[in-house]
Amino acid sequence: MTGGDGLLRDAVAARERPLVEGLSRWVGIPSVSTDPERAGDVAASAAFLRDYALACGMTRAEVWETSGHPAVFAERLVDPRLPTVLVYGHHDVQPVDPEAEWDLAPFVPLERDGQLLGRGTADDKGHILMHLEAVRGILDARGQLPINLKLIAEGEEEDGSEHFEELVRAHRADLAADVAVVSDTGMLAEDLPALTVGLRGLAYWELGVQTAETDLHSGVYGGAVMNPLAVLSEMLAGLHDRHGRVTVRGFYDAVRELSAEERRQLGAVPFDEAGFLAPVGAAAGGEEGFSTMERRTIRPTLEICGIWGGYQGLGAKTVIPARAWAKLSSRLVPDQTAPQVTEAVGTHLRSVAPPGVRVDFRLIHDGPFVLTPTDHPAVRLAAEAVAAVWGREPVYIREGGSIPPVATLAGELGLPCVLFGVGLPEDRIHAPNERVVLAQLFRGMQAVAGMWDLYAAAGVEGLSPRPD
Ligand code: BES
Ligand code: ZN
């Protein structure tokens, strides 16, 4: 690091407490994008972020309406000759159910043992404020940023990013940049920094089966009619064989198998399988012949995310329901596509349903897999910035989660995407007691401050891949 960096470091570190305080206030706004009753809160969250961005020194900040929930755009443009970085994050959060399992009120954040607990602390509000408070720290130290910085924070990432492509198309000029830095991912452990270079895609469906026009008295009709819960259970139970493989014909057709060398590299990532499962008390499962790391990153899945139907109230009700439902999803790997897998799974489900059973299978949302090159200069320089803060070279990892907007940023804007996030596997994102490790956010602030200096030093030219 060069002279004056002690000053920068201190000024960025001085933003640690403001970050915790700001994040606590923001987490207090329950921006659950999948809940229509929370639409007002998602809008309030957007307004909060706009104001926060201005307070941190962004010179333009706007709420961008969509046909769904609003996004927030902010920028600080310094000089057109400098590289322009577009930071992506999302300000919406997942629902909190099952709420009884939280140690705290999910939207009344709690600071405990160096962590901040609350819905959205890690996924993804903490990441956005990590960037904005770093901006404030850099400005405090130097009065100006070394690059042009833009921020786009989406308001419906957790609900499938339905309007993101439209939004990007409508604001192409505003969003133009040299590189996108997406901060919505994590690392393997606090002392094991990582950059993500692959994400799985997603297809999410709802399945309904109907066996009668109406609910039926289980004594009058029982024994003589089909039961939709039993039919559905059997259909779902048959989706995997006893080796953990998906039984759907064609499901694996497009899967790009890894070479022995690629598998060796993945196996060399220091990943503690027991340490990954134990903190969440999870029973290991999955496809035979693959490691836990492979199962969760390079293999596709077909999961049952929810199942319901029939009587759920107090006491007994002797009834055979007319319908039963399930929510299913697949994580997709290169080169699977959502339409291809949807077709395969839908055909399978319709073919295994007994005669007379009506099957309704619908896609709810989807997003493609992502692979980013590890040898792109923007990724290399990000790795250098991370190494300078963590004191160790980051490993390149693939993640099992999905961020559909990454493909939009790459496809619509032609941007190389650097996936830099500071989450940890034990952050319990999407689950009760979500938390963020504050030290990770603090290191993250230092890392992005360092990254912008390295990008500035490389210049626009140095940030493009060398022509072969
Ligand atoms: N931050 C996650 C994605 C993620 C999770 C990346 C873990 C790396 C590690 C993101 O907010 C998310 O949850 N995405 C959804 C996308 C879906 C709703 C289309 C996901 O993966 O389920
Ligand atoms: Zn999420």
Side-chain angles (χ1 to χ4, degrees), residues 90 92-94 123-124 157-158 184 402 429-430:
H90 62 89
D92 63 321
V93 302
Q94 284 272 330
D123 186 10
D124 183 37
E157 195 271 354
E158 300 291 11
D184 191 24
S402 312
I429 61 172
H430 297 204

Side-chain angles (χ1 to χ4, degrees), residues 34 88 90 92-94 122-124 127 156-161 183-187 196 198-204 296 329 331 365-367 397-405 423-425 429-430:
T34 50
Y88 168 89
H90 62 89
D92 63 321
V93 302
Q94 284 272 330
D123 186 10
D124 183 37
H127 279 105
E156 42 189 21
E157 195 271 354
E158 300 291 11
D159 195 24
S161 301
S183 289
D184 191 24
T185 53
M187 302 182 165
T196 299
L199 294 164
R200 288 193 287 191
L202 180 80
Y204 199 110
R296 60 179 286 275
S329 77
R331 294 289 168 171
H365 58 62
D366 65 319
I397 56 171
R398 288 222 216 165
E399 272 291 1
S402 312
I403 312 178
L424 294 171
I429 61 172
H430 297 204

Side-chain angles (χ1 to χ4, degrees), residues 206-212 215 226-236 306-312 320-327 357-361:
E206 193 167 299
L207 167 67
V209 299
Q210 183 173 1
T211 52
D215 287 5
M226 251 185 277
N227 180 310
L229 289 163
V231 168
L232 179 68
S233 304
E234 203 173 329
M235 287 166 71
L236 297 178
I307 172 166
W308 73 104
Y311 183 62
Q312 320 260 321
I320 299 172
R323 297 181 188 85
W325 293 267
K327 303 257 189 195
V357 173
R358 268 157 283 174
V359 174
D360 180 31
F361 182 66

